[in-house]
Amino acid sequence: MPSALLIPPLLFFSLGAFAQLCRSDLKFPGDLSRALSIYLLIGIGLHGGHELARADFGTAVRAFTAALAFGFGLPLIAYAALRRACRLDGLNAAAIAAHYGSVSAGTFLTAVAYLQSREIAYESYPVIMLAVMEAPAIVVGLILAQRARRAAGSGDGAVGLGSALAKSMRHGSIVLLMGTMLIGMVASDKSLESIEPFYRTIFAGALCLFLLELGMDAAKRLEDFWRVGWRLAAFGILMPLASAAIGLIVAQQWLGFGPGGMTLVAVLAASASYIAVPPAIRLAVPEANPSFYLTLSLGITFPFNVALGIPLYLEVSQWLDRKSTRLNSSHTDISRMPSSA
C-alpha cells in the first residue's frame, strides 16, 4: 500500500499540507481554486453522463435508491454515535451528522484519479450517487436539529427546513454536476470527442492543483484538532470506516459492482461534505459550532480518506472480489459434478 500512495494527486495534497505546516508564504489564488472546482465538476459530470447514457436502467435505479438510503440512513447512524459515544449535544450532533451523511466531491475526484493511475476500471453509476446524496443528509440533519430544539424548549434563530433545503439544491456544485451529467447524456459521441481533451486529458493535472490547495486548507484545520476532543477526533476516523464497510457491502451484494465501482461507493459513503453542506447548516442551525463540523470534515476525515482510506477501500474491494470469484467458481464446480444414482 505505501507505494500505491505515491501518485501525483496525493503527493500534491501532501505538498500543500507541508507548505502550510512549515509556514511557507505559498498562496493559492481564491479565484483559481473556484475555477478548478468548477472545471473538475464539469469533467466528472460530462464523463459520467456520457457513460450513463449507455448504462443499464435497472442498475441505475438501484444506484439511485442506494444513494437515497445512504443519504437518509448514514446521518442517523452518525447522530446516534455522536450523542451516545461522544456525548455531544443535540444541535451540534445534528450539524455534524448532516456532513457525514453527505458527500465530498473532492474525495470522490481523488478516488477516480487514484483508480485511473492504477488502470482500474470502474462503473459510472457512482456519479449518480454523488449527485443524489447531498440533499437527503441535509434534510435529516435539519429534522434532527428541530427535534433537539423542541427537546430544549427553543425554536428561535433558525431558518425553516424548506428554505434551507431549497438553498442547498440551488448550490452551484449540485446545479453544475446535474447539468453537465445531462449534457453528457444527450450529446452525441462525435460532439463529445471534439472536447475530450478538455474534460479528460487535462483532468488529472487540474486535480493536482486542486488537491494542492486542499492540502493547505486541511493543514490549517490541524490547529483545531485538539479543540474538538479525542472522542470527536476518533469519530472523524471511525465513522468513515464504518460507513465505507456499509458501502462496500451494498456495492457488491446489491449493485454487483467490480472493485473499482465498489471503491467509489465506499468513498461516497465514507466522505464528509465540506463545500455544500456547511453553508446550509450555518444558515439553518446557527447554534452549532462551525469549528466542530469543519474541523472534523476537512481537518480529519478528508485527509484520512485521501491518505489512507482510498487505498484501503480498494484493497478490501479487491479482496472481496477475489473471494466472490472463488465462491462462484466453487459453486460452479459443484454443480458440474455428476449426481450419484
Side-chain angles (χ1 to χ4, degrees):
M1 186 181 296
S3 61
L5 298 175
L6 300 179
I7 65 172
L10 300 187
L11 294 175
F12 269 83
F13 177 83
S14 301
L15 175 60
F18 174 77
Q20 180 63 36
L21 292 175
C22 73
R23 302 187 184 280
S24 167
D25 62 354
L26 176 64
K27 302 295 181 183
F28 209 86
D31 290 342
L32 178 58
S33 176
R34 182 173 177 81
L36 286 171
S37 299
I38 291 173
Y39 166 75
L40 291 171
L41 286 172
I42 290 174
I44 198 69
L46 287 174
H47 177 72
H50 181 59
E51 294 296 326
L52 288 172
R54 299 174 291 179
D56 176 70
F57 179 76
T59 305
V61 171
R62 289 198 298 273
F64 182 88
T65 305
L68 289 178
F70 286 151
F72 285 113
L74 291 177
L76 296 176
I77 297 174
Y79 182 80
L82 289 163
R83 292 285 283 159
R84 296 177 183 178
C86 300
R87 302 171 186 174
L88 201 62
D89 65 276
L91 288 171
N92 277 304
I96 295 172
H99 289 72
Y100 280 82
S102 187
V103 290
S104 161
T107 311
F108 183 82
L109 293 168
T110 306
V112 169
Y114 183 77
L115 292 176
Q116 291 176 347
S117 71
R118 303 284 301 275
E119 297 183 349
I120 296 174
Y122 54 89
E123 290 82 357
S124 59
Y125 303 101
V127 180
I128 300 177
M129 303 174 72
L130 174 66
V132 170
M133 285 179 63
E134 200 84 65
I138 296 175
V139 171
V140 175
L142 299 188
I143 291 174
L144 291 172
Q146 290 181 349
R147 179 183 175 185
R149 287 194 191 95
R150 286 196 298 269
S154 173
D156 300 328
V159 176
L161 174 65
S163 176
L165 179 59
K167 183 177 178 65
S168 69
M169 292 303 296
R170 294 195 302 268
H171 194 276
S173 62
I174 301 298
V175 173
L176 191 61
L177 184 60
M178 295 294 289
T180 51
M181 282 178 61
L182 180 61
I183 292 173
M185 291 178 69
V186 302
S188 64
D189 291 345
K190 186 175 182 180
S191 63
L192 283 176
E193 285 178 4
S194 65
I195 62 169
E196 187 171 358
F198 165 71
Y199 74 92
R200 275 191 169 178
T201 307
I202 64 175
F203 183 89
L207 180 62
C208 288
L209 290 176
F210 180 71
L211 286 173
L212 174 67
E213 194 271 338
L214 279 184
M216 297 169 63
D217 203 7
K220 294 177 185 177
R221 299 287 174 185
L222 290 178
E223 299 177 359
D224 299 326
F225 183 88
W226 298 112
R227 297 179 189 176
V228 301
W230 71 268
R231 290 178 184 272
L232 282 180
F235 172 86
I237 295 175
L238 295 178
M239 180 65 195
L241 290 174
S243 300
I246 296 172
L248 289 170
I249 294 171
V250 171
Q252 184 192 42
Q253 300 296 324
W254 197 49
L255 298 176
F257 289 171
M262 291 166 61
T263 301
L264 292 182
V265 174
V267 166
L268 288 173
S271 64
S273 175
Y274 52 82
I275 296 177
V277 175
I281 291 298
R282 189 69 175 269
L283 180 70
V285 194
E287 308 95 326
N289 188 344
S291 66
F292 285 173
Y293 54 76
L294 286 177
T295 300
L296 281 174
S297 61
L298 186 55
I300 297 178
T301 297
F302 178 73
F304 169 76
N305 275 327
V306 168
L308 298 174
I310 294 172
L312 174 63
Y313 308 150
L314 176 59
E315 290 287 341
V316 177
S317 297
Q318 292 174 327
W319 178 80
L320 289 172
D321 186 66
R322 289 193 299 268
K323 183 178 179 181
S324 177
T325 301
R326 287 196 299 268
L327 286 175
N328 291 335
S329 176
S330 175
H331 291 159
T332 301
D333 292 341
I334 292 174
S335 65
R336 289 177 178 174
M337 293 179 62
S339 58
S340 58

